[in-house]
Every structure is written in C-alpha cells, then in structure tokens.
Amino acid sequence: MSDAAQPTAAEVRAAAEAVKTALDRHLAAVESRSGDEDPAVYEAFNQLAAAAEAYDELLYDRYDEVTPFEIPSAGDAPPYTGPEEPSAVSVLIRRDYAVAEPQRLRAHAQRIEAADDEGGEVSGTVHGALGLLFGEFEPDEIASRHAEFGLEEGDSTLWVTASDEPAEPGEWLEAPFDQVDSQQVICRFDVSAVFDDEDLDDDGDDDLEELPALVLDEDEDLEPLDADR
C-alpha cells in the first residue's frame, strides 16, 4: 500500500475511540436488556462489531498490526424474533449457475423449440436458451440435471421465513425479495464450494461438524443432510 493510500494516525485514533464508544453502548444495552433477544442488544452488538472491524483494518493499514478481536462473519444469523407459532411461511431459494457449455445449452433449447413446433430462433442466443430451459423444466429438475444442460453449479441457499399470516395474492410479486427480514428466518441451508475449502484448511480435523447442505433431487423434497451421514 502506498503512503498516499495509508490512513493517517488521526484516523486510526478516531477508529479506536469509536470502538470505546461502541463498547460502552453495548454494555449499557446488556445491562438494561429486556430479555434474551432484546433488539437493542443485537443492534449494539452489530455496531461494536463494525467499529472493531474498521479499527482492525485501519490499524493494519497504518501500522501493520492486528487486534485480538474475532470479527463475526456477516453470515452469522441474527436471533429469531418472529412468531412462536407462525401461521404462514415463505421459502426463499437462490441457486447460481455458470453457463459452462453454451452449445449444449442451446442444443437443449432447440429441442424444446422443435417439440413445441415453434419456428422462432430464441434458442440461438444464450439468454433466449436460458428462458426456454427454465420455462420448460422445474427449478428442482434443473438443479438435478444442470450438467446435462451445460450449466455449472455455484452457490445456493434456501431460507424459510415465518409470518403471522399469508400474503395477499400478488402482494409481493413485483419485488419478491425486497422485504426479507433476517430475524424472521426459521432456518436456512447453504451450499458453497467455500465450505470444502474450509474443510481442507482444517487439516482433516474429524471433530468439526459439517455445515448443513441441501439434497437436490427431482423425486425428493429439499432436506438438510445430517452431519453424521
């Protein structure tokens, strides 16, 4: 890092003062907490984590030193504050794919067009072929046959969120993922190659539990894998 890009000593000092202030606020929130899942404590915790992370980065950039603080991962789930007996749930799914073999993808799309007796040339482009593929097959079937369709599987996640009552028909269709409350998440299941990398970094420690994964099979429901399997 060049000298021009380095933070000043004053900026590092200000970040340290911000950590002290965040510590005081966190302690005050804990001392006056209203229950085990007090949102004020959760907010103060996040502010302290952000302040500590900022200070850690500036300290390293300026002085090449680190702190003993372990900054929580952004993926750590907040405490659940939803209804104890939810009357409705939403299942949010995201699956990423890379188009590894465009020719194979377009060939499948062309067969779909031929079977539907359509004379268009939608299948001639990758985005057109993707539209035909996802219009023809259910997402779970694509997940189980992705390699056959020329796709390479990436990260995926499934969230189950709670609500007090079902949404009105059409209520969220225009922006289906804009109003997700992380504190309403009952459970989530993540699949990523990064977990495999972490297992390698653990040097084969058999005592570590595996993270939950998803079974994606066209004939079965999605379910978490038992870590003991």
Side-chain angles (χ1 to χ4, degrees):
M1 180 179 290
S2 66
D3 292 340
Q6 286 183 341
T8 66
E11 289 174 328
V12 179
R13 173 62 62 180
E17 293 299 326
V19 173
K20 297 176 187 178
T21 300
L23 275 169
D24 289 338
R25 289 175 178 170
H26 182 259
L27 178 57
V30 171
E31 290 174 334
S32 60
R33 70 191 313 163
S34 59
D36 291 339
E37 297 182 354
D38 190 332
V41 175
Y42 177 67
E43 182 179 359
F45 173 89
N46 282 339
Q47 291 175 350
L48 176 56
E53 183 173 15
Y55 171 62
D56 190 85
E57 291 179 356
L58 291 174
L59 185 71
Y60 181 79
D61 291 344
R62 177 68 185 184
Y63 299 111
D64 199 26
E65 289 290 342
V66 296
T67 69
F69 307 138
E70 180 180 354
I71 309 302
S73 167
D76 291 345
Y80 175 73
T81 60
E84 289 296 324
E85 298 183 4
S87 58
V89 296
S90 296
V91 179
L92 311 177
I93 302 175
R94 171 172 172 169
R95 297 174 180 143
D96 283 4
Y97 300 96
V99 181
E101 299 180 71
Q103 292 181 339
R104 181 184 292 269
L105 172 67
R106 288 196 293 266
H108 271 280
Q110 288 167 2
R111 286 195 287 271
I112 294 172
E113 280 186 323
D116 292 341
D117 295 326
E118 295 182 3
E121 298 180 354
V122 176
S123 61
T125 64
V126 170
H127 75 272
L130 287 169
L132 286 171
L133 183 71
F134 281 87
E136 179 73 11
F137 299 104
E138 293 291 334
D140 286 353
E141 184 171 1
I142 293 175
S144 64
R145 300 173 59 188
H146 61 275
E148 177 186 340
F149 298 137
L151 303 177
E152 182 178 312
E153 195 173 32
D155 288 357
S156 65
T157 187
L158 180 150
W159 295 21
V160 180
T161 66
S163 58
D164 289 316
E165 57 185 23
E168 294 293 329
E171 181 179 348
W172 47 259
L173 289 179
E174 291 186 3
F177 305 114
D178 283 359
Q179 298 180 349
V180 179
D181 185 349
S182 59
Q183 290 185 275
Q184 302 282 331
V185 175
I186 298 173
C187 58
R188 61 178 289 178
F189 304 96
D190 300 324
V191 176
S192 175
V194 71
F195 300 147
D196 298 333
D197 295 338
E198 290 174 355
D199 289 340
L200 292 176
D201 293 339
D202 291 332
D203 295 328
D205 189 346
D206 294 332
D207 293 331
L208 295 179
E209 293 184 358
E210 297 178 2
L211 291 173
L214 287 179
V215 175
L216 298 177
D217 189 287
E218 60 180 304
D219 296 322
E220 297 179 1
D221 295 331
L222 296 178
E223 60 179 7
L225 290 176
D226 191 320
D228 293 329
R229 291 183 189 175

